[in-house]
Amino acid sequence: MVIIMIKLKEILFLKNLKDVGKATIYDKYWEILKESDDFYDLVSEVELESKLSKEETEISMNYAENLYDDLFNSDIDVITVFDENYPKQLNIMGNKKPLILYVKGNLDSLTKPNIGVIGTRKPYKVSVEFEELLVKNIVNVTNRVILSGLALGCDKIAHQTTVDENKITIAVLPSDITKITPASNKKLAEEIIKTGGCLISEYEPGVKFQKGHYIERDRMVAALSQDIFVVECGVNSGTLHTVDFAQEYGKQIYSFLPNEYPEGFYEGNQLILSDNKNALKIDNVDDVLDKLKNSINQKKSKSVQQKLI
């Protein structure tokens, strides 16, 4: 395990206080958190600033200390927002970025070029065939890491196709990292780790799953991904949450739209293309590969130019 965890105990303490969440920590306690010398210094500062009772702060203090010890002795890598290897991509989220990340697997996979591949839980057969071919080509031709949300359908196909090729994929979870959601993907989660990828979550072990976690997971998928590929989705699909966040963050969005398809399918893909200025229509694999190769070459060229200046 990589022991990093700067100010982990302090953040755990704050997160467990009554009516204190991520937004409150950034808005109300950020300066105290940043400037505190140690855990007990922060506890004292919070007691002075808040209207919480001594009993309430002691409960949160004990919780933080116990969980810190459990994490220290676990097989989970823990990264806080203060750590040097906190993924820089997440800074685009502002005060919605996770304060803590829990990771199982290869931490280095988070630093590699990637593409998010997402979509409906019940893809049409044309989408399944296209996605499998697409992912195989991306991981073998461009060496990009495949990133998705470990849901059923398109997410699962993206991850499974990648591990079948013995390549790297990252799964962003809407749940505590020790409780795979959905449970049917537990074996796949283990394969992701074995093939050099990782599982990542912003929820500490023991946190009760809530439906709102799906949207928070989608936001992190959009922030972590360099580009987003939408295989298939409807107009009411949760996939569109990720697309909206990706547009907000200025990410390149690819939307699959075959030339022929049954009525009722790909309505979300059509909406993406009509409503998002960063969205490109894709109907064949070669187009995606060409665009990804050009993107990589442009970034290399820009990097060389910056070094020369």
Side-chain angles (χ1 to χ4, degrees):
M1 176 178 174
V2 177
I3 308 299
I4 310 165
M5 310 193 300
I6 296 173
K7 293 186 183 287
L8 173 62
K9 200 182 297 185
E10 289 87 337
I11 298 170
L12 291 173
F13 166 74
L14 290 171
K15 287 186 71 178
N16 197 58
L17 291 172
K18 184 180 178 182
D19 299 325
V20 174
K22 185 164 51 181
T24 304
I25 292 172
Y26 278 119
D27 294 341
K28 184 177 180 180
Y29 294 114
W30 181 249
E31 289 304 318
I32 295 175
L33 176 60
K34 197 166 61 170
E35 300 300 328
S36 61
D37 292 328
D38 59 33
F39 178 62
Y40 299 105
D41 175 53
L42 177 120
V43 172
S44 299
E45 287 285 331
V46 171
E47 284 180 337
L48 290 173
E49 287 283 330
S50 70
K51 297 179 180 179
L52 297 170
S53 67
K54 184 78 172 177
E55 182 182 7
E56 287 175 310
T57 55
E58 283 184 357
I59 289 172
S60 292
M61 186 170 69
N62 291 334
Y63 168 84
E65 290 181 314
N66 290 333
L67 182 52
Y68 179 90
D69 289 341
D70 289 344
L71 289 168
F72 191 88
N73 294 302
S74 75
D75 63 348
I76 301 170
D77 285 308
V78 185
I79 305 171
T80 77
V81 70
F82 296 102
D83 289 323
E84 188 177 334
N85 63 346
Y86 183 88
K88 302 298 185 290
Q89 309 97 295
L90 295 182
N91 290 331
I92 200 169
M93 298 170 71
N95 66 2
K96 290 183 172 62
K97 66 185 177 184
L99 288 150
I100 307 170
L101 296 171
Y102 301 90
V103 183
K104 277 193 171 187
N106 177 18
L107 283 171
D108 287 342
S109 62
L110 293 168
T111 66
K112 298 180 183 298
N114 69 49
I115 180 170
V117 180
I118 58 175
T120 178
R121 286 171 170 78
K122 296 181 179 179
Y124 178 53
K125 61 180 181 180
V126 169
S127 295
V128 174
E129 293 169 357
F130 181 86
E131 182 178 4
E132 289 175 344
L133 182 62
L134 173 73
V135 171
K136 284 180 184 178
N137 275 274
I138 288 176
V139 298
N140 287 304
V141 176
T142 73
N143 286 321
R144 286 219 193 185
V145 168
I146 299 295
L147 191 148
S148 199
L150 203 63
L152 298 175
C154 290
D155 288 19
K156 182 175 183 178
I157 293 167
H159 294 305
Q160 189 67 62
T161 304
T162 306
V163 299
D164 287 347
E165 294 294 306
N166 200 32
K167 297 291 185 176
I168 297 173
T169 180
I170 297 168
V172 183
L173 306 184
S175 60
D176 156 6
I177 203 165
T178 66
K179 295 177 182 175
I180 303 301
T181 302
S184 59
N185 278 342
K186 186 176 179 181
K187 182 181 177 183
L188 174 57
E190 293 170 355
E191 291 174 336
I192 288 171
I193 294 172
K194 286 179 183 176
T195 52
C198 74
L199 314 178
I200 182 169
S201 170
E202 63 173 299
Y203 308 108
E204 59 260 30
V207 166
K208 187 177 179 180
F209 174 77
Q210 300 175 24
K211 285 188 177 180
H213 290 179
Y214 283 124
I215 295 178
E216 291 184 323
R217 184 271 313 274
D218 295 343
R219 189 193 303 272
M220 187 150 68
V221 167
L224 281 173
S225 299
Q226 289 180 303
D227 306 289
I228 291 286
F229 192 100
V230 181
V231 180
E232 179 188 337
C233 70
V235 292
N236 297 314
S237 173
T239 298
L240 294 180
H241 289 134
T242 309
V243 172
D244 288 342
F245 293 132
Q247 183 182 22
E248 178 186 343
Y249 301 150
K251 303 299 178 78
Q252 178 63 65
I253 302 163
Y254 301 103
S255 182
F256 177 52
L257 195 62
N259 292 322
E260 295 182 6
Y261 51 89
E263 187 177 348
F265 290 85
Y266 305 102
E267 290 178 344
N269 297 60
Q270 292 173 308
L271 182 65
I272 290 166
L273 292 168
S274 63
D275 286 4
N276 293 273
K277 61 183 179 181
N278 290 332
L280 291 175
K281 175 188 172 183
I282 295 295
D283 59 19
N284 68 84
V285 170
D286 287 341
D287 272 356
V288 184
L289 297 178
D290 287 342
K291 287 177 171 58
L292 293 181
K293 287 177 187 175
N294 288 337
S295 173
I296 291 171
N297 290 335
Q298 287 172 3
K299 286 173 183 175
K300 285 182 179 177
S301 176
K302 185 176 180 181
S303 176
V304 170
Q305 289 174 2
Q306 289 175 339
K307 287 178 181 178
L308 292 174
I309 293 174

